[in-house]
Coordinates of all heavy atoms in Angstrom, one line a residue:
D250 N 90.5 120.8 101.8 CA 89.1 120.9 102.1 C 88.3 120.2 101.0 O 87.2 119.6 101.3 CB 88.7 122.3 102.2 CG 89.2 123.0 103.5 OD1 89.6 122.3 104.4 OD2 89.2 124.2 103.5
S251 N 88.8 120.2 99.8 CA 88.0 119.7 98.7 C 87.9 118.2 98.7 O 87.0 117.6 98.0 CB 88.6 120.1 97.4 OG 90.0 119.7 97.3
V252 N 88.7 117.5 99.5 CA 88.7 116.0 99.5 C 88.4 115.4 100.9 O 88.2 114.2 101.0 CB 90.1 115.4 99.0 CG1 90.5 116.0 97.7 CG2 91.1 115.6 100.1
K253 N 88.2 116.3 101.9 CA 87.9 115.8 103.2 C 86.6 115.0 103.2 O 85.6 115.4 102.6 CB 87.7 117.0 104.2 CG 89.0 117.6 104.6 CD 88.8 118.7 105.6 CE 90.1 119.3 106.1 NZ 89.9 120.5 107.0
G254 N 86.6 113.8 103.8 CA 85.5 112.9 103.9 C 85.4 112.0 102.7 O 84.5 111.1 102.7
R255 N 86.2 112.2 101.7 CA 86.1 111.4 100.5 C 87.4 110.6 100.3 O 87.4 109.5 99.8 CB 85.9 112.2 99.2 CG 84.6 113.0 99.3 CD 84.2 113.6 97.9 NE 85.2 114.6 97.5 CZ 86.0 114.5 96.4 NH1 85.8 113.5 95.6 NH2 86.8 115.5 96.1
F256 N 88.6 111.2 100.6 CA 89.9 110.6 100.4 C 90.5 110.2 101.8 O 90.3 110.9 102.8 CB 90.8 111.6 99.7 CG 90.5 111.9 98.3 CD1 89.3 111.5 97.7 CD2 91.4 112.6 97.5 CE1 89.0 111.8 96.4 CE2 91.2 112.9 96.2 CZ 90.0 112.5 95.6
T257 N 91.2 109.1 101.8 CA 91.9 108.7 103.0 C 93.4 108.3 102.7 O 93.6 107.5 101.8 CB 91.2 107.5 103.6 OG1 89.9 107.8 103.9 CG2 91.9 107.1 104.9
I258 N 94.3 108.9 103.4 CA 95.7 108.6 103.2 C 96.2 107.7 104.3 O 95.7 107.7 105.4 CB 96.6 109.9 103.2 CG1 98.0 109.7 102.8 CG2 96.5 110.6 104.6 CD1 98.8 110.9 102.6
S259 N 97.0 106.7 103.9 CA 97.5 105.8 104.8 C 98.9 105.3 104.4 O 99.3 105.5 103.2 CB 96.6 104.6 105.0 OG 96.4 103.9 103.8
G260 N 99.6 104.6 105.3 CA 100.9 104.0 104.9 C 101.0 102.7 105.6 O 100.3 102.3 106.5
D261 N 102.0 101.9 105.1 CA 102.2 100.6 105.7 C 103.1 100.7 106.9 O 103.8 101.7 107.0 CB 102.7 99.5 104.7 CG 104.1 99.9 104.1 OD1 104.6 101.0 104.5 OD2 104.6 99.1 103.4
N262 N 103.2 99.7 107.7 CA 104.1 99.8 108.9 C 105.5 100.0 108.6 O 106.3 100.5 109.4 CB 103.9 98.5 109.7 CG 102.5 98.4 110.4 OD1 101.9 99.5 110.6 ND2 102.0 97.2 110.7
A263 N 106.0 99.5 107.5 CA 107.4 99.6 107.1 C 107.7 101.0 106.5 O 108.8 101.4 106.3 CB 107.8 98.6 106.0
K264 N 106.6 101.8 106.3 CA 106.7 103.2 105.8 C 107.4 103.2 104.4 O 108.0 104.2 104.1 CB 107.5 104.1 106.8 CG 106.8 104.2 108.1 CD 107.5 105.1 109.0 CE 106.8 105.3 110.4 NZ 107.5 106.2 111.3
T265 N 107.2 102.1 103.7 CA 107.7 102.1 102.3 C 106.7 102.3 101.3 O 107.0 102.6 100.1 CB 108.5 100.8 102.1 OG1 107.6 99.7 102.2 CG2 109.6 100.7 103.0
T266 N 105.4 102.2 101.7 CA 104.3 102.4 100.7 C 103.3 103.3 101.3 O 102.8 103.2 102.4 CB 103.6 101.0 100.4 OG1 104.6 100.1 99.9 CG2 102.6 101.2 99.3
L267 N 102.9 104.3 100.4 CA 101.8 105.2 100.8 C 100.6 105.0 99.9 O 100.8 104.7 98.7 CB 102.4 106.6 100.6 CG 101.5 107.8 101.0 CD1 101.4 107.9 102.5 CD2 102.0 109.1 100.4
Y268 N 99.5 105.1 100.5 CA 98.2 104.9 99.8 C 97.3 106.1 99.8 O 97.4 106.9 100.7 CB 97.4 103.7 100.4 CG 98.2 102.4 100.4 CD1 98.8 102.0 101.6 CD2 98.3 101.6 99.3 CE1 99.5 100.8 101.7 CE2 99.0 100.4 99.4 CZ 99.6 100.0 100.6 OH 100.3 98.8 100.6
L269 N 96.5 106.2 98.8 CA 95.4 107.2 98.8 C 94.1 106.6 98.3 O 94.0 106.2 97.1 CB 95.8 108.4 97.9 CG 94.8 109.6 98.0 CD1 94.8 110.2 99.4 CD2 95.0 110.6 96.9
Q270 N 93.2 106.3 99.2 CA 91.9 105.8 98.9 C 91.0 106.9 98.5 O 90.8 107.8 99.3 CB 91.3 105.0 100.0 CG 89.9 104.4 99.7 CD 90.0 103.4 98.7 OE1 90.8 102.5 98.6 NE2 89.0 103.4 97.7
M271 N 90.5 106.9 97.3 CA 89.7 108.0 96.8 C 88.3 107.5 96.5 O 88.1 106.6 95.6 CB 90.3 108.6 95.5 CG 91.8 109.1 95.7 SD 92.4 109.9 94.3 CE 92.4 108.6 93.1
N272 N 87.3 108.0 97.2 CA 85.9 107.6 97.0 C 85.1 108.8 96.6 O 85.5 109.9 96.7 CB 85.4 107.0 98.3 CG 86.1 105.8 98.8 OD1 86.6 105.0 98.1 ND2 86.1 105.7 100.1
S273 N 83.9 108.5 96.0 CA 83.0 109.5 95.6 C 83.7 110.5 94.7 O 83.6 111.7 94.8 CB 82.4 110.2 96.8 OG 81.7 109.3 97.6
L274 N 84.4 110.0 93.7 CA 85.2 110.8 92.8 C 84.4 111.8 92.0 O 83.2 111.4 91.6 CB 86.1 110.0 92.0 CG 87.4 109.4 92.7 CD1 88.0 108.2 91.9 CD2 88.4 110.5 92.8
K275 N 84.9 113.0 91.8 CA 84.2 114.0 91.0 C 85.0 114.4 89.8 O 86.3 114.2 89.8 CB 84.0 115.2 91.9 CG 83.2 115.0 93.2 CD 83.2 116.2 94.0 CE 82.5 116.0 95.3 NZ 82.4 117.3 96.1
P276 N 84.4 114.9 88.7 CA 85.2 115.3 87.6 C 86.3 116.3 87.9 O 87.4 116.3 87.3 CB 84.2 116.0 86.7 CG 82.9 115.2 87.0 CD 83.0 115.0 88.5
E277 N 86.1 117.1 88.9 CA 87.1 118.1 89.3 C 88.3 117.4 90.0 O 89.3 118.1 90.3 CB 86.5 119.2 90.2 CG 85.7 118.7 91.4 CD 84.2 118.7 91.1 OE1 83.8 118.2 90.0 OE2 83.4 119.1 92.0
D278 N 88.2 116.1 90.3 CA 89.4 115.4 90.9 C 90.4 115.0 89.8 O 91.4 114.5 90.1 CB 88.9 114.2 91.6 CG 88.1 114.5 92.9 OD1 88.5 115.5 93.6 OD2 87.1 113.9 93.1
T279 N 90.0 115.2 88.5 CA 90.8 114.8 87.4 C 92.1 115.6 87.5 O 92.1 116.8 87.5 CB 90.1 115.1 86.1 OG1 89.0 114.2 86.0 CG2 91.1 114.8 84.9
A280 N 93.3 114.9 87.5 CA 94.6 115.5 87.6 C 95.6 114.4 87.5 O 95.3 113.2 87.6 CB 94.7 116.2 88.9
V281 N 96.9 114.8 87.4 CA 98.0 113.9 87.6 C 98.3 114.0 89.1 O 98.5 115.1 89.7 CB 99.2 114.3 86.8 CG1 100.4 113.4 87.1 CG2 98.9 114.3 85.3
Y282 N 98.4 112.8 89.7 CA 98.6 112.7 91.2 C 100.1 112.3 91.4 O 100.6 111.3 90.8 CB 97.7 111.7 91.8 CG 96.3 112.3 92.0 CD1 95.4 112.5 90.9 CD2 95.8 112.6 93.2 CE1 94.2 113.0 91.0 CE2 94.5 113.1 93.4 CZ 93.7 113.3 92.3 OH 92.4 113.8 92.4
Y283 N 100.7 113.1 92.3 CA 102.1 112.9 92.6 C 102.3 112.5 94.0 O 101.7 113.1 94.9 CB 102.9 114.1 92.3 CG 102.9 114.6 90.9 CD1 102.0 115.5 90.4 CD2 103.9 114.1 90.0 CE1 102.0 115.9 89.1 CE2 103.9 114.5 88.6 CZ 103.0 115.4 88.2 OH 103.0 115.8 86.9
C284 N 103.3 111.6 94.3 CA 103.7 111.3 95.6 C 104.9 112.1 96.0 O 105.8 112.3 95.2 CB 104.0 109.8 95.6 SG 104.6 109.1 97.2
N285 N 105.0 112.5 97.2 CA 106.1 113.3 97.7 C 106.6 112.8 99.0 O 105.8 112.3 99.9 CB 105.7 114.8 97.9 CG 106.7 115.6 98.6 OD1 106.6 116.0 99.7 ND2 107.8 115.9 97.9
L286 N 107.9 112.7 99.2 CA 108.5 112.3 100.4 C 109.5 113.4 100.9 O 110.3 113.9 100.2 CB 109.3 111.0 100.2 CG 109.9 110.3 101.4 CD1 110.1 108.8 101.1 CD2 111.3 110.9 101.8
I287 N 109.4 113.7 102.2 CA 110.2 114.7 102.8 C 111.0 114.1 103.9 O 110.4 113.5 104.9 CB 109.4 115.9 103.4 CG1 108.6 116.6 102.2 CG2 110.3 116.9 104.1 CD1 107.7 117.7 102.7
G288 N 112.3 114.1 103.8 CA 113.2 113.6 104.8 C 114.4 114.5 104.9 O 114.3 115.6 105.2
V289 N 115.6 113.9 104.5 CA 116.8 114.8 104.4 C 116.7 115.7 103.2 O 117.4 116.6 103.1 CB 118.0 113.9 104.4 CG1 118.2 113.2 105.7 CG2 118.0 112.9 103.2
G290 N 115.8 115.4 102.3 CA 115.5 116.2 101.1 C 114.1 116.0 100.8 O 113.2 115.6 101.6
S291 N 113.7 116.4 99.6 CA 112.3 116.2 99.1 C 112.4 115.6 97.7 O 113.1 116.0 96.8 CB 111.7 117.6 99.0 OG 110.3 117.5 98.5
W292 N 111.6 114.5 97.6 CA 111.6 113.7 96.4 C 110.1 113.6 95.8 O 109.2 113.6 96.6 CB 112.1 112.3 96.6 CG 113.6 112.4 96.9 CD1 114.6 112.3 95.9 CD2 114.3 112.5 98.1 NE1 115.8 112.3 96.5 CE2 115.7 112.5 97.9 CE3 113.8 112.6 99.4 CZ2 116.6 112.6 98.9 CZ3 114.7 112.7 100.5 CH2 116.1 112.7 100.2
W293 N 110.0 113.5 94.5 CA 108.7 113.3 93.9 C 108.7 112.1 93.0 O 109.8 111.7 92.4 CB 108.5 114.6 93.0 CG 108.3 115.8 93.8 CD1 109.3 116.7 94.1 CD2 107.1 116.4 94.3 NE1 108.7 117.8 94.8 CE2 107.4 117.6 94.9 CE3 105.7 115.9 94.2 CZ2 106.4 118.4 95.6 CZ3 104.8 116.7 94.9 CH2 105.1 117.9 95.5
G294 N 107.6 111.5 92.8 CA 107.4 110.5 91.9 C 107.1 111.1 90.5 O 107.0 112.3 90.3
Q295 N 106.8 110.2 89.5 CA 106.6 110.6 88.2 C 105.2 111.0 87.9 O 104.8 111.6 86.9 CB 107.1 109.5 87.2 CG 106.0 108.4 86.9 CD 105.9 107.5 88.1 OE1 106.7 107.5 89.1 NE2 104.9 106.6 88.0
G296 N 104.3 110.6 88.8 CA 102.9 110.9 88.7 C 102.1 109.8 88.1 O 102.6 109.0 87.3

């Protein structure tokens, strides 16, 4: 709810790249952002 209308998630057709467009950023958006993939398992990026 805190990012609706400001952030947009998308992926490329090959499904190898995930994007997060972040607009109208606020100080409370400050954080380490991690990517997650769920398939046969669950994997995380380094942030």
Side-chain angles (χ1 to χ4, degrees):
D250 287 342
S251 59
V252 307
K253 282 181 181 176
R255 300 188 298 121
F256 291 10
T257 303
I258 190 171
S259 62
D261 66 355
N262 289 334
K264 297 182 180 179
T265 58
T266 305
L267 185 71
Y268 303 100
L269 185 67
Q270 178 66 44
M271 306 187 294
N272 299 327
S273 302
L274 283 160
K275 304 175 181 180
E277 51 263 43
D278 295 318
T279 296
V281 178
Y282 284 70
Y283 297 90
C284 177
N285 174 251
L286 185 154
I287 299 174
V289 295
S291 179
W292 290 269
W293 294 90
Q295 83 288 349

